[in-house]
Amino acid sequence: MQSSKIDRIKDLVEQLNAASESYYAKDQEIMSNYEYDKLYDELVELEKETGVTLANSPTAILSWKLDGLTIVLTYREGKLAKAVTRGNGEIGEVITNNARTFKNLPLNISYTGELILRGEAVITYSDFEKINGEIADAEAKYKNPRNLCSGSVRQLNNEITARRNVRFFAFTLVKADGVDFHDSKEAQFAFLQEQGFAVVEHVAVTEENILSAIEDFEHKIEHYDIPSDGLVLTYESISYGQSLGRTAKFPRDSIAFKWADETKETVLKEMEW
């Protein structure tokens, strides 16, 4: 049964890629939008059922680029063993005791092997407003949630960190020996959720629906409670993403896009020299 589904996945990928190449490269439509969407939906469902995603599958994953502090977590024997900030990319600060106070971080998980993951520590806008509202002196108020989060995570007193309501959202699984993810990042996200982690909100996209997906994120950001400064597009296939290598600082399997700065009109009323 599994093999027949994988054969169908191969067939769907071939059909969809041929249709895309014909439409975009040759300006010829070999199937209608309705037919394409129907086949694509079938492909997505089969990829979810089997956990298999081919390297040339038209899917990819689009997610928030959260605006907080990147944290790397290590679990051993089902317990949080270490938490460090990304720092300069090579050397970070150990903040394990503070990480244990994050509001939504599991201290114990069912997986007992060594688990390493990356994610973003953030403070929501609503918690940020509440904390600032308790500060009478206008000059002492915090400028933005990111700065407050960074200072909170690095606190020497983890009781203060605990009061700041820092939350953690996983965006990359680095290591989980012995677990077969069938070459799927979506499967990795599902695994992390099963372990009790909150993961960054994401959707599967192709060249057909990526613009509408970005539009959905653009509408959502206006009222989204978690700070985000853009979007990240990454390949669904783990092996294909790894085959692309990395630059000195970043892997080549993902592209980050930042939101454009908002521009508004204002009136200059006076100047004091």
Short mmCIF file of all heavy atoms in Angstrom, two decimals, residues 52-84:
data_model
loop_
_atom_site.label_atom_id
_atom_site.label_comp_id
_atom_site.label_asym_id
_atom_site.label_seq_id
_atom_site.Cartn_x
_atom_site.Cartn_y
_atom_site.Cartn_z
N VAL A 52 6.50 11.11 2.99
CA VAL A 52 7.51 11.13 1.92
C VAL A 52 7.32 12.37 1.06
O VAL A 52 6.22 12.66 0.61
CB VAL A 52 7.40 9.87 1.03
CG1 VAL A 52 8.34 9.98 -0.18
CG2 VAL A 52 7.71 8.63 1.83
N THR A 53 8.40 13.10 0.86
CA THR A 53 8.40 14.25 -0.05
C THR A 53 9.62 14.15 -0.96
O THR A 53 10.75 14.09 -0.47
CB THR A 53 8.44 15.59 0.71
OG1 THR A 53 7.36 15.63 1.63
CG2 THR A 53 8.32 16.76 -0.26
N LEU A 54 9.41 14.09 -2.25
CA LEU A 54 10.50 13.99 -3.20
C LEU A 54 11.24 15.31 -3.32
O LEU A 54 10.66 16.38 -3.11
CB LEU A 54 9.97 13.57 -4.58
CG LEU A 54 9.21 12.23 -4.62
CD1 LEU A 54 8.77 11.94 -6.05
CD2 LEU A 54 10.07 11.10 -4.10
N ALA A 55 12.52 15.24 -3.70
CA ALA A 55 13.34 16.45 -3.79
C ALA A 55 12.78 17.43 -4.82
O ALA A 55 12.91 18.64 -4.66
CB ALA A 55 14.77 16.09 -4.15
N ASN A 56 12.15 16.90 -5.88
CA ASN A 56 11.61 17.79 -6.91
C ASN A 56 10.12 18.04 -6.74
O ASN A 56 9.44 18.47 -7.66
CB ASN A 56 11.90 17.23 -8.30
CG ASN A 56 11.25 15.87 -8.52
OD1 ASN A 56 10.93 15.17 -7.56
ND2 ASN A 56 11.08 15.48 -9.78
N SER A 57 9.62 17.74 -5.55
CA SER A 57 8.21 18.04 -5.27
C SER A 57 7.98 19.54 -5.36
O SER A 57 8.84 20.32 -4.97
CB SER A 57 7.83 17.55 -3.87
OG SER A 57 6.55 18.02 -3.51
N PRO A 58 6.79 19.95 -5.87
CA PRO A 58 6.53 21.39 -5.96
C PRO A 58 6.27 22.06 -4.62
O PRO A 58 6.04 23.25 -4.56
CB PRO A 58 5.30 21.47 -6.88
CG PRO A 58 4.62 20.15 -6.72
CD PRO A 58 5.72 19.15 -6.49
N THR A 59 6.26 21.30 -3.51
CA THR A 59 6.04 21.93 -2.20
C THR A 59 7.39 22.47 -1.65
O THR A 59 8.44 21.83 -1.82
CB THR A 59 5.44 20.90 -1.22
OG1 THR A 59 6.31 19.78 -1.12
CG2 THR A 59 4.07 20.43 -1.66
N ALA A 60 7.06 23.44 -0.86
CA ALA A 60 8.02 24.09 0.04
C ALA A 60 7.27 24.57 1.25
O ALA A 60 6.09 24.39 1.37
CB ALA A 60 8.68 25.26 -0.64
N ILE A 61 7.99 25.20 2.18
CA ILE A 61 7.27 25.62 3.42
C ILE A 61 7.49 27.11 3.63
O ILE A 61 8.62 27.58 3.59
CB ILE A 61 7.77 24.84 4.65
CG1 ILE A 61 7.41 23.35 4.51
CG2 ILE A 61 7.16 25.39 5.94
CD1 ILE A 61 7.96 22.47 5.61
N LEU A 62 6.42 27.84 3.91
CA LEU A 62 6.49 29.27 4.20
C LEU A 62 6.10 29.49 5.66
O LEU A 62 5.08 28.97 6.11
CB LEU A 62 5.53 30.04 3.29
CG LEU A 62 5.57 31.57 3.37
CD1 LEU A 62 6.89 32.11 2.81
CD2 LEU A 62 4.40 32.18 2.61
N SER A 63 6.92 30.24 6.41
CA SER A 63 6.65 30.43 7.84
C SER A 63 7.01 31.85 8.27
O SER A 63 7.66 32.59 7.53
CB SER A 63 7.46 29.43 8.68
OG SER A 63 8.85 29.66 8.53
N TRP A 64 6.59 32.21 9.47
CA TRP A 64 6.96 33.50 10.05
C TRP A 64 8.46 33.57 10.29
O TRP A 64 9.09 32.56 10.65
CB TRP A 64 6.28 33.71 11.40
CG TRP A 64 4.81 33.87 11.43
CD1 TRP A 64 3.90 33.01 11.99
CD2 TRP A 64 4.04 34.97 10.92
NE1 TRP A 64 2.63 33.51 11.84
CE2 TRP A 64 2.68 34.71 11.19
CE3 TRP A 64 4.37 36.16 10.24
CZ2 TRP A 64 1.65 35.57 10.83
CZ3 TRP A 64 3.35 37.02 9.88
CH2 TRP A 64 2.01 36.73 10.17
N LYS A 65 9.03 34.74 10.15
CA LYS A 65 10.39 35.03 10.64
C LYS A 65 10.18 35.81 11.94
O LYS A 65 9.91 36.99 11.91
CB LYS A 65 11.18 35.85 9.63
CG LYS A 65 12.59 36.17 10.07
CD LYS A 65 13.33 36.96 9.00
CE LYS A 65 14.76 37.28 9.41
NZ LYS A 65 14.83 38.17 10.58
N LEU A 66 10.25 35.10 13.07
CA LEU A 66 9.94 35.72 14.35
C LEU A 66 11.05 36.68 14.78
O LEU A 66 12.23 36.46 14.51
CB LEU A 66 9.71 34.65 15.42
CG LEU A 66 8.55 33.69 15.14
CD1 LEU A 66 8.36 32.73 16.31
CD2 LEU A 66 7.26 34.45 14.86
N ASP A 67 10.65 37.75 15.46
CA ASP A 67 11.58 38.80 15.85
C ASP A 67 11.83 38.74 17.35
O ASP A 67 11.19 39.44 18.13
CB ASP A 67 11.01 40.17 15.45
CG ASP A 67 12.03 41.28 15.60
OD1 ASP A 67 13.24 40.98 15.62
OD2 ASP A 67 11.63 42.45 15.69
N GLY A 68 12.76 37.88 17.73
CA GLY A 68 13.10 37.73 19.14
C GLY A 68 14.58 37.41 19.29
O GLY A 68 15.42 38.06 18.70
N LEU A 69 14.87 36.37 20.05
CA LEU A 69 16.26 35.96 20.29
C LEU A 69 16.37 34.47 19.98
O LEU A 69 15.66 33.66 20.55
CB LEU A 69 16.63 36.22 21.75
CG LEU A 69 18.09 36.02 22.14
CD1 LEU A 69 18.98 37.06 21.48
CD2 LEU A 69 18.26 36.09 23.66
N THR A 70 17.28 34.13 19.04
CA THR A 70 17.43 32.72 18.65
C THR A 70 18.12 31.93 19.77
O THR A 70 19.14 32.34 20.30
CB THR A 70 18.24 32.60 17.35
OG1 THR A 70 17.53 33.28 16.31
CG2 THR A 70 18.41 31.14 16.96
N ILE A 71 17.51 30.78 20.09
CA ILE A 71 18.00 29.92 21.17
C ILE A 71 18.22 28.51 20.62
O ILE A 71 17.42 28.02 19.82
CB ILE A 71 16.97 29.84 22.33
CG1 ILE A 71 16.60 31.23 22.85
CG2 ILE A 71 17.50 28.95 23.46
CD1 ILE A 71 17.71 31.94 23.56
N VAL A 72 19.30 27.86 21.04
CA VAL A 72 19.55 26.46 20.70
C VAL A 72 19.37 25.63 21.96
O VAL A 72 20.01 25.89 22.99
CB VAL A 72 20.97 26.26 20.12
CG1 VAL A 72 21.19 24.79 19.77
CG2 VAL A 72 21.18 27.14 18.91
N LEU A 73 18.49 24.63 21.89
CA LEU A 73 18.19 23.78 23.04
C LEU A 73 18.73 22.38 22.82
O LEU A 73 18.68 21.85 21.71
CB LEU A 73 16.67 23.68 23.26
CG LEU A 73 15.91 24.98 23.49
CD1 LEU A 73 14.41 24.68 23.61
CD2 LEU A 73 16.40 25.69 24.74
N THR A 74 19.23 21.76 23.88
CA THR A 74 19.68 20.38 23.84
C THR A 74 18.98 19.59 24.94
O THR A 74 18.97 20.01 26.11
CB THR A 74 21.21 20.28 24.06
OG1 THR A 74 21.87 21.03 23.03
CG2 THR A 74 21.67 18.82 23.99
N TYR A 75 18.36 18.48 24.55
CA TYR A 75 17.71 17.58 25.50
C TYR A 75 18.45 16.24 25.49
O TYR A 75 18.82 15.74 24.43
CB TYR A 75 16.24 17.34 25.11
CG TYR A 75 15.33 18.50 25.41
CD1 TYR A 75 15.34 19.63 24.60
CD2 TYR A 75 14.43 18.46 26.47
CE1 TYR A 75 14.51 20.71 24.85
CE2 TYR A 75 13.58 19.54 26.73
CZ TYR A 75 13.63 20.65 25.92
OH TYR A 75 12.79 21.71 26.18
N ARG A 76 18.66 15.69 26.69
CA ARG A 76 19.26 14.37 26.81
C ARG A 76 18.45 13.56 27.82
O ARG A 76 18.08 14.08 28.87
CB ARG A 76 20.72 14.45 27.26
CG ARG A 76 21.64 15.16 26.26
CD ARG A 76 23.10 15.01 26.64
NE ARG A 76 23.98 15.78 25.75
CZ ARG A 76 24.44 16.99 26.03
NH1 ARG A 76 24.15 17.56 27.21
NH2 ARG A 76 25.21 17.63 25.18
N GLU A 77 18.19 12.31 27.46
CA GLU A 77 17.41 11.41 28.33
C GLU A 77 16.07 12.04 28.70
O GLU A 77 15.58 11.89 29.82
CB GLU A 77 18.21 11.04 29.58
CG GLU A 77 19.50 10.29 29.24
CD GLU A 77 20.30 9.92 30.48
OE1 GLU A 77 19.91 10.36 31.59
OE2 GLU A 77 21.30 9.20 30.35
N GLY A 78 15.50 12.77 27.77
CA GLY A 78 14.17 13.33 27.97
C GLY A 78 14.12 14.59 28.80
O GLY A 78 13.04 15.08 29.13
N LYS A 79 15.29 15.17 29.13
CA LYS A 79 15.30 16.36 29.98
C LYS A 79 16.09 17.49 29.31
O LYS A 79 17.05 17.24 28.58
CB LYS A 79 15.93 16.05 31.35
CG LYS A 79 15.18 15.00 32.16
CD LYS A 79 15.86 14.78 33.50
CE LYS A 79 15.20 13.66 34.28
NZ LYS A 79 13.78 13.91 34.55
N LEU A 80 15.69 18.73 29.58
CA LEU A 80 16.43 19.88 29.07
C LEU A 80 17.80 19.91 29.70
O LEU A 80 17.94 20.04 30.91
CB LEU A 80 15.67 21.18 29.38
CG LEU A 80 16.38 22.48 28.95
CD1 LEU A 80 16.57 22.53 27.44
CD2 LEU A 80 15.61 23.70 29.44
N ALA A 81 18.85 19.77 28.88
CA ALA A 81 20.22 19.72 29.39
C ALA A 81 20.95 21.05 29.23
O ALA A 81 21.77 21.42 30.08
CB ALA A 81 21.01 18.62 28.67
N LYS A 82 20.67 21.77 28.13
CA LYS A 82 21.40 23.00 27.88
C LYS A 82 20.61 23.93 26.97
O LYS A 82 19.90 23.48 26.07
CB LYS A 82 22.77 22.69 27.24
CG LYS A 82 23.66 23.89 27.02
CD LYS A 82 25.08 23.48 26.61
CE LYS A 82 25.11 22.78 25.28
NZ LYS A 82 26.51 22.54 24.81
N ALA A 83 20.71 25.22 27.22
CA ALA A 83 20.14 26.24 26.35
C ALA A 83 21.16 27.34 26.17
O ALA A 83 21.72 27.83 27.15
CB ALA A 83 18.85 26.80 26.96
N VAL A 84 21.44 27.70 24.92
CA VAL A 84 22.40 28.76 24.64
C VAL A 84 21.82 29.72 23.61
O VAL A 84 21.03 29.33 22.76
CB VAL A 84 23.75 28.21 24.13
CG1 VAL A 84 24.42 27.35 25.17
CG2 VAL A 84 23.56 27.45 22.83
#
